[in-house]
Amino acid sequence: MSQMLSPITLRGLTMKNRLVLSPLCQYSARHGMPNDWHFANLARYAMGGFGTVTVEAAAVTPEGRISYGDIGLWKDEQIAPLARIARFIQSQGAAASIQIAHAGRKGSTPVWWRGGFNETEAEKAEAAFEEWQPIGPGEEAIGPVDTGFKQPRAMTHADIDAVRDAFVASAKRADAAGFDVLELHSAHGYLLNQFLSPIANTRTDEYGGSFENRMRFPLSVFEAVRAVWPEDKPMFVRISAVDGVEGGVTLEDSVEYAKRLKALGADMVVCSSGGMVGARFELGPLYQVPLAEGVRKGADVATMAVGLITTPEEGEEIIASGRADMIALGRIAMDDPNWPLHARMALGGVEDPYAEWPVQEGFAVRNKDRTLKQRGFADELAPRG
């Protein structure tokens, strides 16, 4: 039996396998409202066999969006369209997860595929274009303002308290929408990661300076959210385990952060990296898996591996060897939304590799493979002795 495709139980939730759809920003919302694109896009991954499907980063405040196209969870009107998505994910046997986030100084940046603020007036009207001044640990912009980044306003103590309260309110809405898992975004150069990193956090008060101080705000957000998130529902935290910039967050820092998160009730630490301008990584297959392995061993906490995991055999080795407890797929899932179903075929060891397909489709795929002598029927081509 495949370890990657085996169930995992966290608190009161059993997920049918260890495969998770990463939160994939679509930049396709108007005024923070999820729409039919979000439903259709996420539905295909639930139908494709993922054990957990994660809705993209939902901003906890309007100015917490990365771009004007982000979804949000800052008002009650956003609950119903997200509840529709969660219900369908669950109807396919998957756990419904949602990531809540605040972009901080990376807010109000261009939609990434446009490469800049080059919308025509007609496009602005159609997409509900908005701009605003972001907030962050300090007044330093993440990058040159002439490339689309904006000058942030340094957060006051009142801002810090208000944003923490916004995370709490969004978590309550996520529960009201019926989600099974909540993921706190503390990675990729967004607000909580900005407070953690000395590259972005140059404050001189109790929220800056030492790593102990830089952890103060992110840990307080997690603790406040965990207090209102139901006890029987797991909570994940996505971190950038290393900044990839000289003088930035190190793996040793992240091990300590993960220890604190675990003590406060985190069930899974999702180990990604980067997010600061100037980050450098040697990209390639499994390039971030050592981070999940390092945090898992150093902090004695369950971890999720991410980053260019592309084949079922790679995923199986990660789980079977104990390098991580779960696997998140992003770009490979976009390329093949049925990746988990195809992994069942590739890895074998199951009585009926077609059983996980949606009933409306599985019989047709089975018959197609039988006719062509493919996958589960390929052995019928073997010589008979």
Side-chain angles (χ1 to χ4, degrees), residues 24 31 52 59 79 93 115 133 147 165 186 188 198 261 301 308 347 355 371 378 385:
L24 305 172
H31 305 301
T52 305
I79 295 174
Q133 183 182 25
T147 62
D165 290 345
S186 182
H188 301 164
L261 290 167
V301 65
L308 296 181
L347 296 175
T371 300

Side-chain angles (χ1 to χ4, degrees), residues 15-234:
M15 291 152 280
K16 65 181 180 182
N17 60 46
R18 312 297 181 99
L19 295 171
V20 180
L21 177 76
S22 284
L24 305 172
C25 288
Q26 300 296 292
Y27 305 106
S28 300
R30 289 172 51 87
H31 305 301
M33 294 295 292
N35 54 45
D36 285 349
W37 170 263
H38 301 93
F39 177 89
N41 181 55
L42 291 161
R44 60 183 183 161
Y45 300 111
M47 295 164 61
F50 281 87
T52 305
V53 176
T54 310
V55 176
E56 67 184 81
V60 300
T61 65
E63 70 274 8
R65 290 173 291 171
I66 306 165
S67 78
Y68 60 83
D70 290 12
I71 68 168
L73 251 180
W74 67 76
K75 58 184 178 180
D76 289 349
E77 290 80 3
Q78 290 156 332
I79 295 174
L82 287 169
R84 177 188 177 219
I85 292 170
R87 285 193 301 270
F88 186 83
I89 291 171
Q90 293 157 344
S91 77
Q92 301 304 300
S97 174
I98 189 167
Q99 184 185 74
I100 56 174
H102 193 297
R105 67 179 189 167
K106 288 181 85 170
S108 196
T109 51
V111 169
W112 75 269
W113 62 71
R114 301 195 69 97
F117 289 117
N118 53 17
E119 296 86 348
T120 65
E121 290 305 312
E123 288 172 331
K124 287 181 178 180
E126 182 179 358
F129 178 88
E130 298 175 79
E131 289 186 88
W132 59 91
Q133 183 182 25
I135 59 175
E139 296 181 351
E140 301 88 356
I142 188 171
V145 294
D146 61 356
T147 62
F149 296 114
K150 290 185 170 59
Q151 188 78 33
R153 176 176 63 80
M155 293 173 68
T156 65
H157 284 203
D159 291 324
I160 287 172
D161 291 341
V163 169
R164 184 188 302 111
D165 290 345
F167 271 102
V168 169
S170 292
K172 291 178 178 178
R173 293 186 185 101
D175 183 43
F179 284 94
D180 303 299
V181 180
L182 187 69
E183 181 173 302
L184 184 67
H185 201 350
S186 182
H188 301 164
Y190 300 120
L191 184 63
L192 300 187
N193 187 204
Q194 289 163 27
F195 270 83
L196 286 166
S197 175
I199 303 298
N201 185 348
T202 58
R203 298 175 72 100
T204 57
D205 62 3
E206 66 269 34
Y207 293 104
S210 69
F211 191 56
E212 185 73 27
N213 281 358
R214 287 183 276 119
M215 286 192 293
R216 191 182 308 276
F217 176 52
L219 289 175
S220 73
V221 170
F222 178 87
E223 185 173 22
V225 170
R226 180 71 265 188
V228 301
W229 187 243
E231 180 67 24
D232 64 335
K233 293 185 177 185

